[in-house]
Amino acid sequence: MKDVLKQLARDLKAEKLRTFLTIFGIVWGTVAISLMLAFGTGLHTQLIKSTAGLGDRIVIAWPGLTSIPFEGLGKGRKIRITDDDLTTARGNVPGLKALSAEYSNNLKVEYGTKTLSVDTSGVAPEFGSMRNLIPQAGGRFIDDIDLAEQRRTAFIGNKLAKDIFGETPAVGKTITVNQSPFLVVGVLVEKDQDSSYSGRDNEKMFIPSTTFRALNGDKYVDNFVFQAAASTDTKAVIEKLRSALGGRLRFDAKDKEALSMWDTTEQFQFFDTFMLAFNAFLGIIGVLTLVVGGIGVSNIMNVVVEERTREIGIKMALGAKQRWILSQFLFETMLVTFLGGAIGFAISLTVCAIFPKLGLAEYVGNPVVSPLVAALTSLALGLVGLVAGYFPARDAARLDPVVAMKL
Amino acid sequence: MTTQNHIIRMDDIRKTYDTGKVKVDALKGIHLEIEKGEMIAIVGPSGSGKSTLMNLIGCLDTPTSGTYEIGGQAVSGVTRDELAEIRNRRVGFVFQAFNLLPHITALENVELPMLFGGIKPAERHKRASELLERVGLGDRLDHKPTELSGGQMQRVAIARALAMEPDIVLADEPTGNLDSSAGGDIMSIFTDLWQQGRTIVIITHDPALSRRASRVVEIHDGRITSDQATNAAA
Ligand SMILES: Nc1ncnc2c1ncn2[C@@H]1O[C@H](COP(=O)(O)OP(=O)(O)OP(=O)(O)O)[C@@H](O)[C@H]1O
Ligand SMILES: [Mg+2]
């Protein structure tokens, strides 16, 4: 075993250029594949994160002006929706999992010497889970009792919390909102978000919708957010909700302007399809890279066999068994493959470590060399190396020593 | 002549090379027995089958038909690996073209058969140094073949042939690539080895060399046409 390795080191040293070329080929293949997949994973994670920042397969709806005459009523009429309308409509639409009204305004927040104008939403408890507004440890979102009793409680964005309280804990503190004291019950965990419909959640404040209405005298919702029990039913739920509200508020269910909706599940579907296509693309490129690399390695090994045919003949004449010749070639290929793979991974990891510093993460995410990708790539390369090494090695060991020595 | 003394026993050995288009009958029924301690010169014109016979004796190749025993062991129906083992333990080769490995030192070249024979590293090193010393290359252990003269390379090859203490040493025109002075030196080494009791078979075109052998076998067109003992004494 030690002799085999010693011989190996000697042969590799004697064939510097060839060894370099082979290792370079494998390094290139490994870097290409693991970086491609790493960036793919990073992009996927980023897409999920930014979409999840918006919400968990939700639909956001805004009342607007009618654009189609309905039952003798002209167009251009303003549609106004109340909590009652929503509660009634909800009862008529099966398959609806959650629904929350949203009232919005800029409110004056005071704490100590600080005064800020804060984008505030009055919402129901369900809003929190629909919009992925997850509280940091020790806090909570608005709950049913807050809503029922019109409590003056507030859930605030993490950036807002920092602006007001600095590094000291926010939960349990009392802030003044439009001259009324509010208890901070929760702070948002940091989340990636670059799609939104009304400002970033980390700078916002959420209070119970009942409290909001009492504070501001609002009667009509600014918008509302809902979620189907099964995301595949979203289209049907939208239609039912439109006709339920249309019947009650007297607008045409087909009137997209009277009640405009943003179905974020469409975006999910797009991402899912996009990622599927993207992964297929990466997969094909990866397989081709491996195949081309494998052919290269295999060819180089074949050239070696020809160069060394005489040497193999001599060794066999001196009593080397086929197994010896075979294992030397296999070892050589595997060592070269392993070396190339290891260097390739090191390069990929370095790139992934440096990449976040370039500040492009917001657009394409941070590449991650996942353990699965790592395992698969090394497995594939090992296999390529094995196949590439096996056939030339077998050919070499099958040579007739007399013939081989004459070459 | 007892059976135990026969190192080589060939009976009606034939070898046909089938190149696909033509069949060449290189050996057409060879009977040959070689005793321990003999030094045999095989002579004959080019293409008569000398190298073919040598390859069969050395188990580098197998006959098309006939029976062959080396050291009492029948060589028929054995696997390639078993042939390799026979070559390793029983035969030492010296080739016209030296056939040393160019990337490794003289010492490592001599160690090679012992590596395949499973000899321990320390023992390999000791034996290889001793053998190189014996052929007069004690000061060239770490030289690579390219740094040696032809005569020196052939001496490394002889040391390598002796590494596994073989039953028989086979040399195919060992002086063919050397000038007459270097050739004479190599021939003297073989004569010395024979006088120390080794069994040696040498193919040669040189009548001066064949006169040094104890027995001369002549081959013409795949057949032995003459097999005579000489006056040379061990
Ligand atoms: N591998 C082979 N394939 C086909 N024919 C071969 C092969 N090796 C030898 N021969 C043929 O067998 C015959 C004997 O060849 P061999 O090499 O034994 O001759 P030789 O006596 O050693 O000649 P030389 O003195 O020139 O070395 C020749 O006709 C040769 O062409
Ligand atoms: Mg010949």
Side-chain angles (χ1 to χ4, degrees):
Chain A
M1 182 68 193
K2 217 180 106 200
D3 293 318
V4 173
L5 289 180
K6 216 177 118 192
Q7 176 104 16
L8 209 66
R10 208 155 47 204
D11 287 345
L12 291 178
K13 226 167 67 191
E15 301 279 352
K16 282 194 196 79
L17 180 69
R18 184 184 56 74
T19 307
F20 169 77
L21 283 178
T22 315
I23 291 181
F24 180 80
I26 293 171
V27 167
W28 176 246
T30 312
V31 170
I33 289 169
S34 47
L35 274 192
M36 257 181 352
L37 291 179
F39 275 96
T41 312
L43 185 61
H44 196 181
T45 315
Q46 183 64 18
L47 287 181
I48 287 176
K49 262 191 196 166
S50 51
T51 316
L54 185 60
D56 185 12
R57 293 169 199 248
I58 54 170
V59 182
I60 304 145
W62 293 268
L65 303 177
T66 58
S67 62
I68 303 172
F70 186 75
E71 292 176 357
L73 294 165
K75 52 184 185 178
R77 189 166 46 91
K78 190 167 173 57
I79 297 299
R80 287 194 250 256
I81 300 175
T82 64
D83 264 0
D84 277 351
D85 296 332
L86 289 178
T87 312
T88 312
R90 187 175 184 174
N92 293 333
V93 179
L96 199 59
K97 182 181 168 198
L99 187 148
S100 168
E102 184 171 5
Y103 302 84
S104 317
N105 207 346
N106 270 310
L107 301 185
K108 194 170 83 174
V109 172
E110 290 165 283
Y111 180 75
T113 54
K114 287 182 188 145
T115 305
L116 295 92
S117 170
V118 178
D119 188 1
T120 308
S121 288
V123 297
E126 289 169 307
F127 190 85
S129 63
M130 279 194 288
R131 290 282 326 282
N132 282 334
L133 298 172
I134 301 157
Q136 290 177 10
R140 62 170 175 85
F141 195 68
I142 310 296
D143 66 15
D144 288 330
I145 304 170
D146 293 338
L147 193 73
E149 297 185 358
Q150 278 186 38
R151 282 189 183 168
R152 287 194 294 274
T153 50
F155 178 86
I156 61 179
N158 48 310
K159 186 163 176 291
L160 179 62
K162 209 166 177 187
D163 289 346
I164 301 177
F165 301 104
E167 298 304 326
T168 58
V171 175
K173 300 267 166 54
T174 303
I175 52 178
T176 308
V177 179
N178 282 12
Q179 274 82 48
S180 303
F182 272 68
L183 179 69
V184 176
V185 293
V187 177
L188 178 68
V189 292
E190 177 147 19
K191 74 170 173 175
D192 270 285
Q193 179 193 24
D194 53 37
S195 54
S196 168
Y197 57 93
S198 63
R200 297 203 166 205
D201 291 338
N202 60 8
E203 297 171 343
K204 287 187 69 170
M205 177 165 74
F206 301 89
I207 62 177
S209 55
T210 48
T211 316
F212 190 100
R213 279 166 54 201
L215 198 67
N216 292 284
D218 284 33
K219 205 170 163 212
Y220 303 109
V221 305
D222 287 274
N223 58 277
F224 62 93
V225 173
F226 63 92
Q227 186 183 36
S231 66
T232 46
D233 290 344
T234 304
K235 284 271 173 295
V237 169
I238 286 174
E239 290 317 311
K240 280 184 218 148
L241 199 59
R242 274 185 183 286
S243 53
L245 281 170
R248 187 175 161 90
L249 299 171
R250 312 193 65 198
F251 65 87
D252 193 321
K254 291 184 199 68
D255 192 343
K256 296 273 192 278
E257 285 177 36
L259 186 62
S260 53
M261 295 211 190
W262 179 17
D263 180 359
T264 65
T265 59
E266 277 172 5
Q267 206 174 353
F268 272 95
Q269 270 159 19
F270 170 73
F271 285 152
D272 286 349
T273 317
F274 175 76
M275 282 319 295
L276 203 72
F278 191 64
N279 281 336
F281 171 74
L282 290 186
I284 290 167
I285 300 268
V287 166
L288 285 180
T289 306
L290 280 183
V291 166
V292 170
I295 291 171
V297 173
S298 182
N299 270 341
I300 293 166
M301 295 310 288
N302 267 309
V303 170
V304 176
V305 172
E306 256 171 54
E307 275 175 2
R308 290 207 203 138
T309 301
R310 222 176 105 81
E311 192 173 320
I312 289 164
I314 295 169
K315 283 179 182 167
M316 287 197 292
L318 297 178
K321 294 185 178 165
Q322 274 179 305
R323 185 161 27 88
W324 206 92
I325 307 257
L326 212 73
S327 59
Q328 198 203 329
F329 273 79
L330 284 182
F331 261 126
E332 187 171 319
T333 318
M334 289 196 303
L335 189 79
V336 162
T337 306
F338 179 79
L339 222 76
I343 295 173
F345 271 127
I347 292 176
S348 308
L349 286 175
T350 311
V351 170
C352 289
I354 291 172
F355 189 81
K357 302 201 171 79
L358 301 181
L360 296 170
E362 242 185 289
Y363 308 105
V364 294
N366 282 325
V368 189
V369 181
S370 78
L372 185 72
V373 169
L376 284 180
T377 310
S378 55
L379 199 80
L381 280 168
L383 224 69
V384 168
L386 208 70
V387 171
Y390 176 73
F391 293 102
R394 197 195 51 184
D395 289 350
R398 275 184 185 169
L399 288 172
D400 209 337
V402 190
V403 174
M405 275 191 301
K406 271 191 191 159
L407 291 175
Chain B
M1 258 198 224
T2 60
T3 314
Q4 281 92 339
N5 275 342
H6 285 129
I7 286 177
I8 301 294
R9 229 177 214 284
M10 283 187 154
D11 197 23
D12 198 24
I13 288 289
R14 288 163 197 277
K15 178 71 184 180
T16 305
Y17 289 110
D18 191 349
T19 56
K21 284 185 194 133
V22 277
K23 288 188 178 175
V24 181
D25 293 317
L27 296 178
K28 301 168 179 172
I30 297 282
H31 297 268
L32 183 67
E33 291 177 349
I34 297 175
E35 268 185 77
K36 192 168 158 52
E38 278 191 293
M39 172 146 159
I40 298 182
I42 296 180
V43 296
S46 183
S48 56
K50 303 184 296 293
S51 294
T52 305
L53 177 60
M54 181 75 96
N55 292 340
L56 291 183
I57 296 173
C59 295
L60 280 174
D61 210 344
T62 46
T64 311
S65 70
T67 55
Y68 175 38
E69 281 175 21
I70 181 164
Q73 182 179 1
V75 184
S76 62
V78 300
T79 64
R80 281 173 66 99
D81 277 357
E82 281 163 347
L83 275 183
E85 194 159 334
I86 293 172
R87 287 197 294 272
N88 185 252
R89 305 209 174 278
R90 298 190 178 277
V91 187
F93 289 102
V94 178
F95 301 97
Q96 181 177 354
F98 317 127
N99 284 348
L100 300 175
L101 297 195
H103 297 306
I104 59 179
T105 64
L107 189 80
E108 288 169 331
N109 264 291
V110 177
E111 282 188 18
L112 217 48
M114 296 189 270
L115 172 67
F116 303 138
I119 310 285
K120 296 246 167 356
E123 171 72 10
R124 285 205 305 257
H125 190 273
K126 182 165 153 278
R127 256 205 249 171
S129 321
E130 279 169 12
L131 285 166
L132 282 168
E133 207 120 336
R134 246 163 74 187
V135 296
L137 290 176
D139 54 346
R140 294 283 193 276
L141 300 185
D142 293 325
H143 286 234
K144 296 205 171 144
T146 43
E147 300 157 358
L148 298 172
S149 73
Q152 287 171 330
M153 282 198 270
Q154 200 59 301
R155 279 190 263 171
V156 174
I158 293 171
R160 184 180 65 181
L162 298 173
M164 287 299 285
E165 301 280 340
D167 295 344
I168 189 165
V169 174
L170 304 176
D172 192 342
E173 301 189 44
T175 61
N177 279 0
L178 304 175
D179 61 31
S180 55
S181 127
D185 289 350
I186 294 299
M187 223 38 227
S188 303
I189 293 177
F190 279 116
T191 317
D192 288 348
L193 288 173
W194 170 46
Q195 278 161 0
Q196 285 157 24
R198 305 232 171 229
T199 312
I200 298 169
V201 178
I202 299 178
I203 295 178
T204 183
H205 284 295
D206 187 345
L209 299 186
S210 57
R211 271 198 297 277
R212 295 209 199 183
S214 66
R215 183 177 156 198
V216 178
V217 173
E218 236 181 283
I219 297 187
H220 281 272
D221 193 23
R223 288 191 180 88
I224 294 177
T225 52
S226 153
D227 187 346
Q228 285 179 322
T230 65
N231 299 327

